[in-house]
Amino acid sequence: MELRVLRYFLAVCEAKNISKAAEALHISQPSLSRQLKNLEAELGVTLFYRGHQEITLTQEGYYLQEHAEEIISLTNKTQQNLKRSQIISGELYIGAGESIATKRVMDIIHQILQNYPQVKIHFFNGNSSMIESKLERGLLDFGITMGQYDTTQNFNSLTLPEINEYGVILSKNHPLADHSCVTAEDLQIILSLCQNIRLILITLEIGILSHKS
């Protein structure tokens, strides 16, 4: 498989239409169709269900899409790293969930971009398992995760000082409305009653992970 053809394949996945993908790639539609047919023949599978208006991926197509995205991402990252010179430049891939801790990181990123405009930042949103998986596969440089678990086997880690504080919104007539704080036992009662609940979240420890070299 050629990287060029994988890029063509991903363009078709995004456009869901060969003609639109060919226009975006600035190549002819017959040429693109032929290269996709050759790719299917090389792999020995059908990648698309071809409809009148748009195409959809087969199970094999989805599998190739996921791994093609990883291959292209790693290729781009490798090329950028090899092009580095005396100027501080390159690309930084960060994964994080929604947390107040990201503000600290974003403030630092803002300073980096101001001081080193050649640096490019790629920010990916995801849960802890997604971030760990991308770190393992070399798709992220570091991640911000929430939760208390053992990361010493595969990752270097540090704990950030921020703590996510969450609350419960309920009716003013609810029995817990006069409580100054809500305990885990109270949450069990609320869940069993399921009465006028708007939001329930849990406080988690926040940390940064990076893969061990």
Side-chain angles (χ1 to χ4, degrees):
M1 291 183 292
E2 297 182 29
L3 290 175
R4 172 179 53 83
V5 178
L6 287 181
R7 294 183 194 275
Y8 289 172
F9 168 75
L10 291 176
V12 174
C13 293
E14 182 178 356
K16 297 182 179 180
N17 182 283
I18 294 179
S19 297
K20 292 180 180 179
E23 183 178 352
L25 294 167
H26 305 291
I27 62 176
S28 68
Q29 187 268 336
S31 175
L32 180 56
S33 295
R34 183 173 61 256
Q35 293 188 70
L36 292 176
K37 283 286 188 182
N38 291 340
L39 178 61
E40 289 179 317
E42 179 183 353
L43 297 175
V45 297
T46 300
L47 299 173
F48 302 104
Y49 295 118
R50 292 164 172 83
H52 293 295
Q53 297 297 325
E54 66 177 31
I55 62 174
T56 56
L57 291 171
T58 63
Q59 182 177 356
E60 292 80 6
Y62 280 114
Y63 179 85
L64 179 60
Q65 180 186 30
E66 178 183 356
H67 290 278
E69 288 173 347
E70 294 179 7
I71 291 169
I72 297 301
S73 176
L74 285 173
T75 300
N76 292 340
K77 186 176 179 181
T78 301
Q79 289 175 339
Q80 289 297 324
N81 289 339
L82 292 174
K83 290 178 181 178
R84 289 177 180 173
S85 62
Q86 296 299 321
I87 300 175
I88 296 180
S89 63
E91 301 192 19
L92 187 62
Y93 292 78
I94 304 170
E98 296 180 2
S99 167
I100 191 174
T102 57
K103 183 182 184 302
R104 174 186 295 268
V105 177
M106 294 307 295
D107 289 342
I108 296 173
I109 289 175
H110 178 68
Q111 296 175 13
I112 292 173
L113 294 177
Q114 282 190 322
N115 296 330
Y116 308 105
Q118 300 296 323
V119 173
K120 294 182 180 180
I121 307 293
H122 301 271
F123 207 83
F124 297 91
N125 190 359
N127 58 35
S128 296
S129 60
M130 291 172 60
I131 291 171
E132 287 185 36
S133 176
K134 286 183 177 292
L135 282 169
E136 286 279 10
R137 290 177 288 166
L139 300 177
L140 295 177
D141 294 301
F142 71 88
I144 304 170
T145 64
M146 293 171 284
Q148 297 178 346
Y149 47 87
D150 182 18
T151 60
T152 57
Q153 297 299 318
N154 301 315
F155 305 103
N156 297 308
S157 65
L158 61 89
T159 301
L160 297 175
E162 287 83 3
I163 296 292
N164 284 332
E165 295 183 359
Y166 300 109
V168 179
I169 299 177
L170 38 74
S171 169
K172 64 180 180 180
N173 298 321
H174 194 279
L176 298 178
D178 294 331
H179 288 212
S180 59
C181 63
V182 178
T183 65
E185 290 75 15
D186 294 332
L187 288 177
Q188 292 179 348
I189 296 174
I190 296 175
L191 288 172
S192 64
L193 295 176
C194 293
Q195 181 180 24
N196 298 323
I197 297 177
R198 288 291 188 86
L199 176 65
I200 298 179
L201 294 169
I202 303 172
T203 301
L204 295 172
E205 185 179 84
I206 307 167
I208 289 183
L209 301 180
S210 62
H211 201 281
K212 286 186 176 181
S213 57

